[in-house]
Amino acid sequence: MLTTESASRYESLENMSVRELLININNEDKTVPQAVEKAIPQLEALVEQVVYRMKQGGRLFYIGAGTSGRLGVVDASECPPTYGVPFDLVIGIMAGGDKAIRKAVENAEDDPDQAWKDLQEYKINELDSLIGIAASGRTPYVIGGLNEARKAGILTGCIVCNAGSPVAAAAEYPVEVVVGPEFVTGSTRMKAGTAQKLVLNMLSTSVMIRLGRVKGNKMVDMQMTNYKLVQRAIRMVTEELGIPDEEAKALLDAHGSVRAAIEAGRK
């Protein structure tokens, strides 16, 4: 029995009040960061390897199915606006294609050959890194993709929520976050999904910082795509240079990014 499939610690959920449901779910969620903490040494080793390759021009790929796949797509899609990197530097691919983001595609995760076919569309190569995301640690789509990537000399890592899984065995740098039984038995979109999201946050944020995409604690390369982000950019320039908002906005309008505006303002 997989840990993620083991019985919930709670019984008769349908008889609980709303308050009881919320308190008990929250109590389970509190255990997730502790499980993630135990995996930091594994994650550190993976991040170091990813950074090394990306500094040489490599890309970062995520593959997964269901909730795991969606989390990879979300993390990848947030890197360009947050850090100003090209849209194809971090790429999330999920079993069943983009249409599976909104609606499950039947049996898509059961094909061990499809992930490698999907990766070929991006001409994945030995400078790239591939992270397989699978709560169960036994998704054929992910296992097949990792096995083929490893044969091709591509760095492989994974994020799983069971110990000693086939996905972890297929990856050079496994990250195993064992969160225990779900509140609703087998519903891995809950604690397992939360753990995967936390690990992805840590992985991509650490990578981007090491690639020089953060200065101090600021997103100096972020894309200013709405009013909120424009105002944030103005504050960053104002605080860094000690100038009025109007001058900060003029620098941003002229130079297009917080980093460039600050550099220009110091000349």
Short mmCIF file of all heavy atoms in Angstrom, two decimals, residues 87-115:
data_model
loop_
_atom_site.label_atom_id
_atom_site.label_comp_id
_atom_site.label_asym_id
_atom_site.label_seq_id
_atom_site.Cartn_x
_atom_site.Cartn_y
_atom_site.Cartn_z
N PHE A 87 9.99 32.77 -22.36
CA PHE A 87 8.87 31.87 -22.08
C PHE A 87 9.25 30.41 -22.25
O PHE A 87 8.60 29.51 -21.69
CB PHE A 87 7.68 32.20 -22.99
CG PHE A 87 7.86 31.75 -24.42
CD1 PHE A 87 7.40 30.52 -24.84
CD2 PHE A 87 8.52 32.56 -25.34
CE1 PHE A 87 7.58 30.10 -26.15
CE2 PHE A 87 8.71 32.15 -26.65
CZ PHE A 87 8.23 30.91 -27.06
N ASP A 88 10.31 30.14 -23.00
CA ASP A 88 10.71 28.76 -23.25
C ASP A 88 11.93 28.33 -22.43
O ASP A 88 12.58 27.34 -22.74
CB ASP A 88 10.98 28.53 -24.73
CG ASP A 88 12.04 29.47 -25.29
OD1 ASP A 88 12.48 30.37 -24.57
OD2 ASP A 88 12.43 29.28 -26.46
N LEU A 89 12.22 29.04 -21.33
CA LEU A 89 13.33 28.64 -20.48
C LEU A 89 12.89 27.59 -19.46
O LEU A 89 13.63 26.66 -19.15
CB LEU A 89 13.90 29.86 -19.74
CG LEU A 89 15.16 29.58 -18.92
CD1 LEU A 89 16.36 29.28 -19.82
CD2 LEU A 89 15.48 30.76 -17.98
N VAL A 90 11.70 27.73 -18.92
CA VAL A 90 11.10 26.75 -18.02
C VAL A 90 9.80 26.29 -18.66
O VAL A 90 8.92 27.10 -18.94
CB VAL A 90 10.84 27.35 -16.62
CG1 VAL A 90 10.30 26.26 -15.67
CG2 VAL A 90 12.10 27.98 -16.05
N ILE A 91 9.69 24.99 -18.90
CA ILE A 91 8.59 24.45 -19.70
C ILE A 91 7.88 23.35 -18.93
O ILE A 91 8.50 22.39 -18.48
CB ILE A 91 9.12 23.89 -21.04
CG1 ILE A 91 9.80 25.00 -21.84
CG2 ILE A 91 8.00 23.25 -21.85
CD1 ILE A 91 10.62 24.52 -23.01
N GLY A 92 6.57 23.49 -18.78
CA GLY A 92 5.76 22.46 -18.14
C GLY A 92 4.97 21.68 -19.16
O GLY A 92 4.29 22.26 -20.00
N ILE A 93 5.08 20.36 -19.09
CA ILE A 93 4.36 19.48 -20.03
C ILE A 93 3.56 18.49 -19.21
O ILE A 93 4.08 17.88 -18.27
CB ILE A 93 5.35 18.71 -20.92
CG1 ILE A 93 6.22 19.68 -21.72
CG2 ILE A 93 4.61 17.77 -21.86
CD1 ILE A 93 7.36 19.01 -22.48
N MET A 94 2.28 18.32 -19.56
CA MET A 94 1.49 17.34 -18.81
C MET A 94 0.87 16.30 -19.73
O MET A 94 0.63 16.56 -20.92
CB MET A 94 0.43 18.01 -17.97
CG MET A 94 -0.72 18.68 -18.67
SD MET A 94 -1.89 19.31 -17.43
CE MET A 94 -2.48 17.77 -16.67
N ALA A 95 0.67 15.13 -19.18
CA ALA A 95 0.07 14.03 -19.94
C ALA A 95 -1.29 14.45 -20.47
O ALA A 95 -2.11 14.99 -19.74
CB ALA A 95 -0.07 12.81 -19.04
N GLY A 96 -1.50 14.23 -21.76
CA GLY A 96 -2.75 14.62 -22.38
C GLY A 96 -2.72 15.98 -23.04
O GLY A 96 -3.69 16.40 -23.67
N GLY A 97 -1.59 16.71 -22.89
CA GLY A 97 -1.45 18.01 -23.53
C GLY A 97 -2.16 19.13 -22.78
O GLY A 97 -2.72 18.93 -21.69
N ASP A 98 -2.15 20.31 -23.36
CA ASP A 98 -2.71 21.48 -22.70
C ASP A 98 -4.19 21.34 -22.39
O ASP A 98 -4.69 21.91 -21.41
CB ASP A 98 -2.49 22.73 -23.55
CG ASP A 98 -1.04 23.21 -23.53
OD1 ASP A 98 -0.25 22.65 -22.73
OD2 ASP A 98 -0.71 24.11 -24.31
N LYS A 99 -4.91 20.58 -23.20
CA LYS A 99 -6.35 20.42 -22.93
C LYS A 99 -6.60 19.70 -21.62
O LYS A 99 -7.66 19.85 -21.00
CB LYS A 99 -7.03 19.68 -24.08
CG LYS A 99 -6.52 18.28 -24.35
CD LYS A 99 -7.27 17.67 -25.53
CE LYS A 99 -6.76 16.28 -25.88
NZ LYS A 99 -5.37 16.32 -26.43
N ALA A 100 -5.62 18.93 -21.16
CA ALA A 100 -5.77 18.20 -19.90
C ALA A 100 -5.61 19.10 -18.69
O ALA A 100 -5.88 18.67 -17.56
CB ALA A 100 -4.74 17.07 -19.83
N ILE A 101 -5.20 20.35 -18.89
CA ILE A 101 -5.09 21.28 -17.77
C ILE A 101 -6.46 21.52 -17.16
O ILE A 101 -6.62 21.60 -15.94
CB ILE A 101 -4.46 22.62 -18.23
CG1 ILE A 101 -3.01 22.38 -18.67
CG2 ILE A 101 -4.53 23.67 -17.12
CD1 ILE A 101 -2.37 23.60 -19.31
N ARG A 102 -7.48 21.61 -18.01
CA ARG A 102 -8.84 21.89 -17.53
C ARG A 102 -9.69 20.63 -17.40
O ARG A 102 -10.57 20.56 -16.54
CB ARG A 102 -9.54 22.86 -18.48
CG ARG A 102 -8.95 24.25 -18.46
CD ARG A 102 -9.74 25.18 -19.37
NE ARG A 102 -9.21 26.53 -19.32
CZ ARG A 102 -9.54 27.45 -18.41
NH1 ARG A 102 -10.42 27.14 -17.49
NH2 ARG A 102 -9.02 28.65 -18.45
N LYS A 103 -9.45 19.64 -18.24
CA LYS A 103 -10.30 18.44 -18.26
C LYS A 103 -9.42 17.21 -18.41
O LYS A 103 -8.60 17.13 -19.31
CB LYS A 103 -11.30 18.52 -19.41
CG LYS A 103 -12.30 17.37 -19.43
CD LYS A 103 -13.31 17.56 -20.55
CE LYS A 103 -14.31 16.41 -20.57
NZ LYS A 103 -15.28 16.57 -21.68
N ALA A 104 -9.60 16.26 -17.50
CA ALA A 104 -8.78 15.05 -17.52
C ALA A 104 -8.90 14.32 -18.85
O ALA A 104 -9.99 14.20 -19.41
CB ALA A 104 -9.19 14.13 -16.38
N VAL A 105 -7.76 13.85 -19.36
CA VAL A 105 -7.73 13.06 -20.59
C VAL A 105 -7.55 11.59 -20.19
O VAL A 105 -6.55 11.22 -19.57
CB VAL A 105 -6.58 13.51 -21.51
CG1 VAL A 105 -6.49 12.61 -22.74
CG2 VAL A 105 -6.79 14.97 -21.93
N GLU A 106 -8.51 10.77 -20.54
CA GLU A 106 -8.54 9.38 -20.10
C GLU A 106 -7.29 8.61 -20.53
O GLU A 106 -6.89 8.66 -21.69
CB GLU A 106 -9.79 8.69 -20.67
CG GLU A 106 -10.05 7.31 -20.09
CD GLU A 106 -11.38 6.73 -20.55
OE1 GLU A 106 -12.13 7.44 -21.25
OE2 GLU A 106 -11.64 5.57 -20.21
N ASN A 107 -6.68 7.93 -19.59
CA ASN A 107 -5.54 7.03 -19.81
C ASN A 107 -4.26 7.74 -20.27
O ASN A 107 -3.27 7.06 -20.59
CB ASN A 107 -5.88 5.93 -20.82
CG ASN A 107 -7.05 5.07 -20.35
OD1 ASN A 107 -7.18 4.81 -19.16
ND2 ASN A 107 -7.89 4.66 -21.28
N ALA A 108 -4.25 9.06 -20.30
CA ALA A 108 -3.07 9.77 -20.81
C ALA A 108 -1.81 9.46 -20.00
O ALA A 108 -0.71 9.36 -20.55
CB ALA A 108 -3.32 11.28 -20.82
N GLU A 109 -1.97 9.28 -18.70
CA GLU A 109 -0.80 9.07 -17.86
C GLU A 109 -0.27 7.64 -17.92
O GLU A 109 0.80 7.35 -17.37
CB GLU A 109 -1.12 9.42 -16.41
CG GLU A 109 -2.07 8.47 -15.71
CD GLU A 109 -2.25 8.83 -14.25
OE1 GLU A 109 -2.76 9.95 -13.97
OE2 GLU A 109 -1.88 8.02 -13.40
N ASP A 110 -1.00 6.75 -18.59
CA ASP A 110 -0.61 5.33 -18.59
C ASP A 110 0.31 4.95 -19.74
O ASP A 110 0.74 3.80 -19.82
CB ASP A 110 -1.88 4.46 -18.65
CG ASP A 110 -2.74 4.63 -17.41
OD1 ASP A 110 -2.17 4.90 -16.34
OD2 ASP A 110 -3.98 4.51 -17.51
N ASP A 111 0.63 5.90 -20.61
CA ASP A 111 1.50 5.62 -21.75
C ASP A 111 2.95 5.96 -21.40
O ASP A 111 3.30 7.13 -21.27
CB ASP A 111 1.05 6.43 -22.97
CG ASP A 111 1.82 6.10 -24.24
OD1 ASP A 111 2.86 5.41 -24.13
OD2 ASP A 111 1.40 6.53 -25.32
N PRO A 112 3.82 4.96 -21.25
CA PRO A 112 5.21 5.23 -20.85
C PRO A 112 6.06 5.85 -21.95
O PRO A 112 7.17 6.31 -21.68
CB PRO A 112 5.74 3.85 -20.47
CG PRO A 112 4.92 2.90 -21.28
CD PRO A 112 3.55 3.51 -21.38
N ASP A 113 5.56 5.86 -23.18
CA ASP A 113 6.35 6.38 -24.30
C ASP A 113 6.02 7.83 -24.66
O ASP A 113 6.78 8.49 -25.37
CB ASP A 113 6.13 5.50 -25.55
CG ASP A 113 6.54 4.06 -25.31
OD1 ASP A 113 7.59 3.84 -24.67
OD2 ASP A 113 5.81 3.16 -25.76
N GLN A 114 4.88 8.32 -24.19
CA GLN A 114 4.39 9.61 -24.68
C GLN A 114 5.20 10.79 -24.18
O GLN A 114 5.39 11.78 -24.90
CB GLN A 114 2.92 9.80 -24.31
CG GLN A 114 2.27 11.01 -24.95
CD GLN A 114 2.33 10.98 -26.47
OE1 GLN A 114 1.99 9.97 -27.08
NE2 GLN A 114 2.75 12.08 -27.08
N ALA A 115 5.69 10.75 -22.96
CA ALA A 115 6.44 11.90 -22.43
C ALA A 115 7.67 12.19 -23.27
O ALA A 115 7.96 13.36 -23.57
CB ALA A 115 6.83 11.66 -20.97
#
